Amino acid sequence: PFATMILADQGADVIKVEPPGSGDFTRTAGNQQGGLSASFLNNNRNKRSVVLDLKRADHIAALKRIAGTCDVMVQNFRPGVVERLGIGYEDMRAVNPRLVYVSISGFGEVGPWSHKPVYDPIIQALSGLCSVQGGSDERRPRLIRTIVPDKVTALTAAQAITAALLVRERSGVAQHVRLSMLDS
């Protein structure tokens, strides 16, 4: 959400896809006012939203119609999920050959941890940030009290999207941009 917030702040027309029912879980996570959390309002400012049930064929068709008019599609499902849903890179490229497709995962698309869920504290621990935050190898590791890996991944994604759009404008060739939180 932070990566697309940056792009929306820069003037991109961002359409957020939310599931039916309660929508994005962050709508009600943490401090709220007027039924919406501060985090949701901040990370989704300047965005439009559409409700789609990606388990329904007619909603997948609607997403593909939207993607047919887009420059970029960003998804952060675990590897393999978008292919099962029929909205993977090849599926969407068939709809829009100029689409820059961005896949963000926790640990990359292959490897023993590729299908595991990931959260910021897990990346802090595995990357060594907790040890650095603790102050030395002899001291107890400590979490950084803000979501640094999430933010760094978002900044990396926003920059990668901008670069991919520039390459597409110069060469006419779109790309599949792949990022992992651990690598970022």
Side-chain angles (χ1 to χ4, degrees), residues 31-45:
N31 296 330
Q32 296 179 33
Q33 186 168 7
L36 294 172
S37 73
S39 176
F40 177 84
L41 291 171
N42 184 54
N43 284 322
N44 294 292
R45 65 180 186 245

Side-chain angles (χ1 to χ4, degrees), residues 135-151:
S136 75
D137 289 341
E138 290 77 35
R139 295 186 67 188
R140 181 178 175 208
R142 297 178 55 185
L143 287 172
I144 298 172
R145 294 185 66 181
T146 187
I147 52 173
V148 172
D150 275 349
K151 291 176 181 173

Side-chain angles (χ1 to χ4, degrees), residues 77-80 83 103-116 178-180 182-183:
F77 288 102
R78 281 185 253 169
E83 289 77 16
S103 298
I104 302 172
S105 64
F107 302 108
E109 294 182 2
V110 296
W113 291 1
S114 64
H115 291 83
K116 291 188 178 288
R178 296 171 176 94
L179 299 168
S180 83
L182 187 59
D183 287 342

Side-chain angles (χ1 to χ4, degrees), residues 15-136:
I15 303 169
K16 176 183 178 66
V17 176
E18 296 189 66
S22 60
D24 183 335
F25 78 93
T26 64
R27 283 180 175 270
T28 57
N31 296 330
Q32 296 179 33
Q33 186 168 7
L36 294 172
S37 73
S39 176
F40 177 84
L41 291 171
N42 184 54
N43 284 322
N44 294 292
R45 65 180 186 245
N46 297 321
K47 298 179 188 180
R48 295 187 291 155
S49 182
V50 63
V51 173
L52 294 175
D53 182 348
L54 299 180
K55 295 178 182 166
R56 289 182 45 180
D58 57 332
H59 287 216
I60 293 290
L63 179 63
K64 288 182 177 181
R65 283 193 303 275
I66 293 168
T69 66
C70 292
D71 289 307
V72 179
M73 179 173 166
V74 179
Q75 64 86 11
N76 65 345
F77 288 102
R78 281 185 253 169
V81 171
V82 290
E83 289 77 16
R84 285 193 304 274
L85 291 171
I87 58 170
Y89 172 64
E90 294 300 330
D91 301 303
M92 302 315 267
R93 188 165 181 239
V95 171
N96 181 353
R98 291 184 46 82
L99 185 70
V100 172
Y101 191 95
V102 182
S103 298
I104 302 172
S105 64
F107 302 108
E109 294 182 2
V110 296
W113 291 1
S114 64
H115 291 83
K116 291 188 178 288
V118 69
Y119 301 95
D120 194 273
I122 294 169
I123 298 298
Q124 285 192 43
L126 290 171
S127 68
L129 280 174
C130 291
S131 180
V132 171
Q133 187 71 5
S136 75

